[in-house]
């Protein structure tokens, strides 16, 4: 009677076996897949002081790739999605300040240039070496071959990139 129940105001409880710790497996227990190792980027060399790991993310006013606005109240960003969130120590090491413009390029030696220009830097509490930016705006940086080996999901949470002061900002100064 699902078709009738889903119309109930407030929804309805769906009784899932896992909620009761009932596992419908051969062993009767939860089974987990263990990764072969902790090397997150075996297909791209991520070593070097100028290589950062980009994670793409959604804003609070976004559903999948549909963007409803340019303000992200969760991260204090307003007016644009062309931003790069960075650790303040990484910014200082590169000589960058909040609101500076940077260009970002994928760190891969496959002969394809993947570049996004004119991203505005914002200091954000992230681990050193990690940066964040919105998708779909930064999808261009993800090589099609850089994906999870079984499911082929794009590695959008671990894209090796290099950052440099924006060429457009340098010519304007």
């Amino acid at each position: 009677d699902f078709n009738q129940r889903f119309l109930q105001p407030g929804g309805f409880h769906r009784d899932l076996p896992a909620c009761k710790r009932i596992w419908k497996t051969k062993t009767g227990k939860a089974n987990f897949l263990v990764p072969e190792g902790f090397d997150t980027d075996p297909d791209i060399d991520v070593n070097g002081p100028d290589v950062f790991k980009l994670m793409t993310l959604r804003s609070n006013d976004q559903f999948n790739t549909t963007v409803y606005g340019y303000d992200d109240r969760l991260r204090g960003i307003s007016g644009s999605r062309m931003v790069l969130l960075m650790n303040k120590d990484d910014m200082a090491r590169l000589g960058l300040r909040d609101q500076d413009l940077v260009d970002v390029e994928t760190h891969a030696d496959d002969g394809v240039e993947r570049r996004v220009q004119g991203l505005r830097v914002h200091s954000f509490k992230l681990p050193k070496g990690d940066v964040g930016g919105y998708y779909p705006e930064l999808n261009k940086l993800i090589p099609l071959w850089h994906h999870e080996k079984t499911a082929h999901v794009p590695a959008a949470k671990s894209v090796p990139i290099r950052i440099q002061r924006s060429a457009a900002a340098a010519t304007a100064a």
Side-chain angles (χ1 to χ4, degrees), residues 30-102:
N31 297 306
F32 298 94
L33 298 175
V34 180
E36 292 176 15
F38 293 107
D39 186 2
T40 57
D41 295 300
D43 54 353
I44 300 178
D45 179 16
V46 295
N47 296 313
D50 65 334
V51 180
F52 293 84
K53 275 194 299 184
L54 168 71
M55 63 179 152
T56 60
L57 40 95
R58 294 181 180 118
S59 63
N60 66 281
D61 61 351
Q62 178 177 352
F63 178 75
N64 290 330
T65 57
T66 303
V67 177
Y68 295 102
Y70 293 100
D71 297 337
D72 184 354
R73 69 178 183 269
L74 299 176
R75 296 176 187 94
I77 306 295
S78 61
S80 176
R81 294 173 50 86
M82 295 302 289
V83 302
L84 190 69
L85 306 174
M86 290 186 74
N87 176 290
K88 64 181 172 101
D89 293 336
D90 287 334
M91 290 173 58
R93 183 170 59 83
L94 296 179
L96 298 171
R97 295 179 305 199
D98 250 20
Q99 307 298 316
D100 280 353
L101 292 178
V102 296

